[in-house]
């Protein structure tokens, strides 16, 4: 439907941005049928959104997140989301996505501050599970595994069948020393996404610091994610 929208208006920035955002969701869930093509398409759509959407906060924040999360352009993605926040300081989605990118860049306290603001702005948001997951993830990156575990179940309860938040919870539990619980959660991950492997982690978790990625991979391995 987004493609139909920008076929009718080839400068419809929000349609480009939202199409890129849902390609991002496909990548995060492991649903891409042709990852090379779909990641390239994500980048193309994101850059169109940023080109045409200089005054469109939705276009800028969705394009920025897709560039950061799928393409790995963390700084460029963060800059686009910052522009979105200057355009609309009350856009909860932009604060939420900015928090994820801050966590990927290792700025965990900023991430928690930004996502907490998103939740205050939109406490019943349809993407509340992702916002709660972002706080859990920021605590994980900061090495506060018990805090990550405290937030993780909130994200999973909001949307139990969303595999990425289950993966995060499994990694947090194992790094917190709760191996039995982590393996139970990993069993759910394996049911939801049986094809996901260690080799897929980096492509869905674009952490800037190699040591952060290594800890996340270790947590998933302890929980039982196969090689």
């Amino acid at each position: 439907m987004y493609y139909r929208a920008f076929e009718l208006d080839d400068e419809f920035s929000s349609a480009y941005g939202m199409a890129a955002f849902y390609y991002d969701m496909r990548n995060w869930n492991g649903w891409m049928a042709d990852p090379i093509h779909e990641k390239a398409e994500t980048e193309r759509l994101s850059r169109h959104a940023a080109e045409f959407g200089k005054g469109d906060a939705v276009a800028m924040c969705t394009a920025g997140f897709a560039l950061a999360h799928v393409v790995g352009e963390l700084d460029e993605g963060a800059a686009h989301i910052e522009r979105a926040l200057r355009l609309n300081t009350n856009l909860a989605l932009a604060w939420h996505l900015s928090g994820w990118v801050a966590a990927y860049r290792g700025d965990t306290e900023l991430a928690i501050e930004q996502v907490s603001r998103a939740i205050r702005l939109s406490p019943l948001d349809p993407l509340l599970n992702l916002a709660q997951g972002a706080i859990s993830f920021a605590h994980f990156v900061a090495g506060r595994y018990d805090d990550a575990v405290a937030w993780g179940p909130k994200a999973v309860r909001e949307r139990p069948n969303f595999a990425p938040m289950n993966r995060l919870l499994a990694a947090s539990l194992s790094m917190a020393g709760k191996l039995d619980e982590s393996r139970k959660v990993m069993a759910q991950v394996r049911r939801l996404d049986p094809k996901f492997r260690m080799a897929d982690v980096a492509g869905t978790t674009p952490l800037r610091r190699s040591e952060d990625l290594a800890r996340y991979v270790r947590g998933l391995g302890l929980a039982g994610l196969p090689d």
Side-chain angles (χ1 to χ4, degrees):
M1 297 301 291
Y2 287 125
Y3 274 77
R4 288 180 62 184
F6 53 70
E7 284 169 5
L8 293 170
D9 179 352
D10 63 5
E11 295 188 5
F12 191 175
S13 55
S14 291
Y16 285 113
M18 290 303 297
F21 181 74
Y22 281 103
Y23 268 116
D24 180 274
M25 291 295 105
R26 284 174 59 77
N27 178 60
W28 213 353
N29 280 283
W31 294 339
M32 284 188 167
D34 184 346
I36 293 175
H37 168 74
E38 292 187 51
K39 289 181 180 182
E41 182 67 354
T42 304
E43 182 172 9
R44 185 186 75 85
L45 293 168
S46 297
R47 296 200 182 283
H48 277 317
E51 177 186 359
F52 299 130
K54 300 298 185 187
D56 180 342
V58 171
M60 296 306 294
C61 75
T62 50
F65 184 68
L67 282 171
H69 196 209
V70 178
V71 185
E73 295 289 352
L74 294 176
D75 293 338
E76 182 181 1
H80 289 329
I81 300 173
E82 287 168 8
R83 185 181 182 92
L85 289 169
R86 290 196 298 272
L87 289 166
N88 184 353
T89 192
N90 290 320
L91 183 59
L93 178 63
W95 286 110
H96 162 197
L97 298 181
S98 187
W100 271 107
V101 176
Y104 291 136
R105 297 166 84 193
D107 197 343
T108 55
E109 302 316 305
L110 176 64
I112 291 168
E113 176 187 332
Q114 291 181 329
V115 179
S116 297
R117 182 165 181 170
I119 293 173
R120 290 195 299 273
L121 284 167
S122 186
L124 300 177
D125 199 281
L127 296 179
L128 180 62
N129 70 307
L130 290 182
Q132 293 166 331
I135 294 177
S136 178
F137 186 72
H139 283 302
F140 184 97
V141 173
R144 296 189 293 263
Y145 303 120
D146 289 336
D147 290 329
V149 167
W151 277 91
K154 297 178 183 180
V156 170
R157 279 195 298 270
E158 283 290 321
R159 192 164 296 180
N161 293 329
F162 189 62
M165 294 304 97
N166 281 275
R167 291 197 299 264
L168 172 58
L169 178 57
S172 301
L173 285 164
S174 60
M175 294 300 282
K178 302 177 181 181
L179 292 180
D180 289 343
E181 293 176 56
S182 75
R183 288 166 184 160
K184 290 178 183 177
V185 176
M186 183 55 69
Q188 171 71 349
V189 171
R190 299 294 309 282
R191 285 192 291 271
L192 292 170
D193 191 359
K195 295 181 180 179
F196 195 84
R197 295 292 186 272
M198 284 290 195
D200 301 314
V201 176
T204 59
T205 316
L207 285 155
R208 165 163 288 169
R209 300 183 305 211
S210 59
E211 60 269 29
D212 294 335
L213 180 61
R215 288 187 294 112
Y216 190 54
V217 168
R218 174 172 168 74
L220 290 169
L222 289 170
L225 183 67
D227 292 333

